[in-house]
Amino acid sequence: MVDFIVNFIVSNPLFYTLVKILSIVLPLLGAVAYLTYAERKVMAAMHLRQGPMMVGPFGLLQPLADGLKLFSKETILPSKSNKVVFVVAPILTFILSLLAWAVIPFDEGMVLANINVGILYLFAISSLGVYGILMAGWASNSRYAFLGGLRSAAQMVSYEVSIGFVMVTVLLTTGSLNLSDIVLAERPFWMDMLLFPMFIIFIVSILAETNRTPFDLPEGESELCGGYNVEYSSMTFALFFLGEYANMILMSCLTVVLFMGGWLPPLGIEISWLSWVPGIIWFGFKVSTILFVFIWARATLPRYRYDQLMRLGWKVFLPFSLLWVVLVAGILVGTNTLPVL
Amino acid sequence: MIEALAFYMFATILIMSALMVITARNPVYAVLFLILAFFNAAGLFILLGAEFIAMILVIVYVGAVAVLFLFVVMMLNIGQSNVKTGLVKYMPVGALVGFTLLGELIWLYTSWDISKYAVHQRLAPILAEDSEISNTHALGEILYTNNVYLFQLSGLILLVAMIGAIVLTLRSRKGVRKQTISEQVSRERSDVIEVKHVGFGKGVQ
C-alpha cells in the first residue's frame, strides 16, 4: 500500500510538486502559529510575566485556540469600503508571503525550485508585499487605515533600497544569484568580518520591511489605533496576521542564507559530530535565533518617530551601504578574490 | 502543452488588463490593472527563458514605479466623475493624435524594407544550447564588457535627470524648524539644567 502511494506520487510530476508544496506550506503555517506563541512567551519572560498558560500544558494550545476564535468570528465588510479591493488585499498579502518560500533552500538540494535568479525572485516577491497593505488602507475608506497604508508604503520602499545594496554586496562575494550557491560559496574569514556591518544593516532593514517594532509605524496603535488593518476582522484579519509572521520567518531565512551559512554548521566548525546533525536542524536553529532578535527588539525598544525612520533609511543606511558596496568590490578586485564565473 | 496554456493565460490577462487600464473609471483601479499587466508581462518573459529580465521588470516596475503611481493616485483622490468631464471637448484632439500615429505606423509597416539577414539574426540563439553560461552572466557580459561606454553614458543621462528633478523640486522654506540630530545628541545636562538654590522669601533672580 505504502509502495503504491509512493510510486503514484513519484510517477506523477504535477502531483509530486503539489506534495512538495504542501510539505513546505503546512509546516510553515505551524511555525507561524507557534511563532506567535513563542513571541508571547518570550515577551512575557522579558516583562517578568507568565504569558499564555491556561490552554493546554504551558499554554501550548493557545495558538490553536486563537485561530479557532478568529475563524468563528463574523467577517465585517464596512459599508463605505471598496468591497472587491477590501477582500483581495488580505488574500494577496497571504499568497505573497507563501509564494516566496519556493526558492528557500532548507538543506542541500532540499528546495522546491532551484532557480538561477533565486535571490532576485525573493526580492521581487517581498517588494510586492506593500500592495496588500496599500490596498487594504485605501479600500477600508478610513482615515486611520489610509494613513497606516501610506506610511507602510513609504517605509517599505525606502528600506528596500538598502536591502538591495546589502544583497549586492553579498552577491559580489559569492558570484551567483542562486540561493544554494550563495550558501555553499566559500568566503575567507576576513570577508565575513567585512560583511558584518552589512549584516547589522540587513537585520534593521528587515525589521522595517516587515513592519515590526521599533518600526511598526503602519500599525502605530497609539496614533492610528491599529493602522492599515483597523477595519479588518475575523479571517481577513487572520490572513494579514499570518502573512506578517510568515514574512518574518522568510526574512530570517534570507538572513541565514546570505550571512550565516544556511544549513552548514555555524562558524564553519568541522567537528564530526556537529556535521552529523542534519542540515535542516542547523537551518531551523539559525532561523530561530534571528526570530528571537525580532521578538527581543519588540519587547525592549520604543517605537521610532516617523521622520527619524526616514532619516535612518535614506541618510544613514543608504550612503553607508553604497560606500560598502564600492569598498567590498574594490577589495575583491584588489586582492584578486573576485569569484570567477 | 502546459507551456502553451500558460502563454495564452498570461497573454489574455495581459491584454485584458491593459485594456482595463485605459477604460477603468476609477484611477486606482487603472493603476492596479497596470500592475497586473506588468506581472503578466513578467510571466511571458519567464516563458521565453529570460528570467533575469522578468525579475527586474517585477522589481523595478511593480516594486518601485507602480507603488509611487499608486501612492500619488490615492493621494490625489480624483473622483470618478472628474474623469469623464471634458470628454467631448478633448475628443477631436485625442482622435487626431491617435489617427496620426496609426497612419504613421501603417505607413512604416508597409514601406519598411526588412533586411533579409534580419530574420536569421533574430532566430539565431544568443547562447549556444550547451553553454554553461547563465542568462544573467550573458547579459552582464554584453552590458559591462562589450558595451561599457554606452552603459556609462546612459548612467550619466540618468544622473543628470535625477539632479534636474531634485533641483526643480528643491526650495528653501523659511520658518521651518529643522532638527540637527548631532546637536541633540551632544546636548549635555549642564547646558540645559541649572540647579538654583532659592533663598527663603527671595525668589529666583
Side-chain angles (χ1 to χ4, degrees):
Chain A
M1 185 65 194
V2 175
D3 279 353
F4 172 73
I5 291 173
V6 169
N7 274 334
F8 177 73
I9 288 174
V10 176
S11 59
N12 263 353
L14 210 65
F15 196 74
Y16 188 40
T17 315
L18 199 70
V19 169
K20 280 205 264 187
I21 290 172
L22 280 181
S23 61
I24 291 177
V25 168
L26 293 180
L28 173 66
L29 292 180
V32 166
Y34 278 89
L35 178 60
T36 63
Y37 173 77
E39 177 169 35
R40 293 169 70 174
K41 272 292 190 195
V42 170
M43 276 180 59
M46 286 179 183
H47 295 160
L48 299 180
R49 294 184 284 115
Q50 293 269 11
M53 53 181 289
M54 300 308 281
V55 189
F58 307 106
L60 271 172
L61 298 178
Q62 184 70 40
L64 301 180
D66 284 344
L68 216 61
K69 181 197 77 175
L70 281 171
F71 258 121
S72 59
K73 281 194 165 182
E74 184 192 352
T75 307
I76 297 167
L77 296 178
S79 55
K80 285 281 182 68
S81 69
N82 191 323
K83 300 281 185 312
V84 180
V85 182
F86 188 82
V87 175
V88 166
I91 298 175
L92 187 74
T93 308
F94 183 62
I95 291 178
L96 285 175
S97 69
L98 295 186
L99 217 58
W101 285 87
V103 293
I104 296 285
F106 300 99
D107 199 344
E108 184 133 29
M110 203 195 243
V111 50
L112 181 63
N114 198 9
I115 57 176
N116 276 335
V117 289
I119 193 148
L120 282 181
Y121 173 81
L122 263 184
F123 194 56
I125 297 293
S126 71
S127 71
L128 293 182
V130 63
Y131 284 112
I133 293 175
L134 207 52
M135 281 161 73
W138 179 76
S140 303
N141 204 359
S142 142
R143 295 284 183 279
Y144 290 128
F146 189 51
L147 273 176
L150 289 184
R151 276 185 179 189
S152 168
Q155 174 179 332
M156 286 168 91
V157 169
S158 306
Y159 278 83
E160 241 157 46
V161 182
S162 50
I163 286 188
F165 278 120
V166 172
M167 283 181 181
V168 167
T169 326
V170 176
L171 294 181
L172 277 175
T173 64
T174 58
S176 171
L177 296 176
N178 182 309
L179 287 172
S180 304
D181 287 350
I182 290 173
V183 170
L184 290 173
E186 286 185 2
R187 282 194 288 255
F189 183 68
W190 55 267
M191 185 47 82
D192 276 334
M193 287 292 103
L194 205 61
L195 286 180
F196 190 71
M198 290 312 242
F199 173 67
I200 302 289
I201 287 187
F202 194 76
I203 293 273
V204 177
S205 297
I206 61 174
L207 282 175
E209 182 78 5
T210 50
N211 296 327
R212 293 284 301 178
T213 331
F215 307 111
D216 60 341
L217 288 125
E219 298 184 10
E221 66 271 0
S222 53
E223 317 139 50
L224 297 178
C225 60
Y228 64 91
N229 58 20
V230 67
E231 301 290 340
Y232 283 87
S233 61
S234 174
M235 273 322 283
T236 49
F237 175 78
L239 286 181
F240 272 124
F241 200 73
L242 287 172
E244 188 188 324
Y245 278 77
N247 267 334
M248 272 169 68
I249 308 179
L250 177 79
M251 284 299 173
S252 309
C253 285
L254 189 56
T255 318
V256 167
V257 165
L258 286 180
F259 293 100
M260 297 166 75
W263 61 81
L264 303 171
L267 298 172
I269 305 167
E270 294 194 4
I271 305 168
S272 56
W273 62 270
L274 271 183
S275 47
W276 183 76
V277 177
I280 194 162
I281 303 276
W282 283 126
F283 193 81
F285 178 70
K286 288 173 180 176
V287 170
S288 312
T289 316
I290 302 287
L291 284 172
F292 179 77
V293 175
F294 268 87
I295 300 167
W296 188 11
R298 180 167 176 204
T300 47
L301 295 176
R303 186 176 296 135
Y304 250 62
R305 215 174 57 202
Y306 194 68
D307 60 319
Q308 290 178 342
L309 169 91
M310 283 297 163
R311 180 180 171 274
L312 184 71
W314 288 105
K315 291 190 173 172
V316 181
F317 280 0
L318 181 61
F320 185 81
S321 52
L322 204 55
L323 174 82
W324 221 252
V325 170
V326 177
L327 185 78
V328 168
I331 289 176
L332 281 172
V333 172
T335 56
N336 216 0
T337 44
L338 202 66
V340 185
L341 296 169
Chain B
M1 218 289 275
I2 289 179
E3 212 157 285
L5 216 64
F7 169 78
Y8 283 111
M9 190 189 78
F10 284 135
T12 320
I13 299 178
L14 174 60
I15 292 173
M16 294 307 271
S17 52
L19 275 177
M20 287 304 287
V21 173
I22 49 173
T23 53
R25 286 282 170 75
N26 193 332
V28 174
Y29 281 175
V31 179
L32 289 178
F33 276 114
L34 184 68
I35 294 159
L36 191 64
F38 281 146
F39 212 75
N40 284 288
L44 286 180
F45 273 126
I46 287 184
L47 286 184
L48 281 174
E51 73 272 3
F52 184 77
I53 296 184
M55 292 306 150
I56 292 298
L57 184 75
V58 173
I59 291 173
V60 174
Y61 279 92
V62 184
V65 175
V67 172
L68 298 181
F69 268 14
L70 199 60
F71 210 92
V72 171
V73 168
M74 281 178 177
M75 293 284 271
L76 284 179
N77 205 9
I78 309 165
Q80 298 194 8
S81 54
N82 292 6
V83 182
K84 227 184 163 185
T85 53
L87 184 70
V88 182
K89 204 169 128 194
Y90 297 118
M91 189 67 156
V93 185
L96 189 71
V97 173
F99 278 113
T100 314
L101 281 176
L102 186 68
E104 280 176 353
L105 275 179
I106 292 172
W107 180 62
L108 258 182
Y109 190 72
T110 48
S111 65
W112 192 273
D113 207 14
I114 296 171
S115 161
K116 62 181 177 189
Y117 303 113
V119 181
H120 302 291
Q121 195 89 52
R122 219 181 309 139
L123 291 180
I126 300 161
L127 292 174
E129 284 289 316
D130 56 342
S131 76
E132 287 284 296
I133 296 176
S134 75
N135 217 321
T136 319
H137 188 181
L139 269 174
E141 200 115 281
I142 290 173
L143 264 185
Y144 303 122
T145 311
N146 301 350
N147 297 314
V148 66
Y149 293 116
L150 288 175
F151 177 75
Q152 292 286 343
L153 198 67
S154 50
L156 267 181
I157 293 171
L158 280 177
L159 181 68
V160 170
M162 192 177 87
I163 292 171
I166 292 173
V167 168
L168 278 178
T169 52
L170 189 71
R171 56 190 172 129
S172 55
R173 284 176 297 174
K174 278 178 186 166
V176 178
R177 293 187 180 204
K178 276 195 176 160
Q179 295 188 330
T180 328
I181 304 275
S182 53
E183 246 173 53
Q184 290 178 344
V185 172
S186 60
R187 211 164 69 144
E188 294 277 329
R189 181 169 171 273
S190 56
D191 299 338
V192 283
I193 293 180
E194 196 179 344
V195 179
K196 292 224 172 191
H197 295 284
V198 184
F200 184 75
K202 282 180 186 163
V204 182
Q205 263 113 42

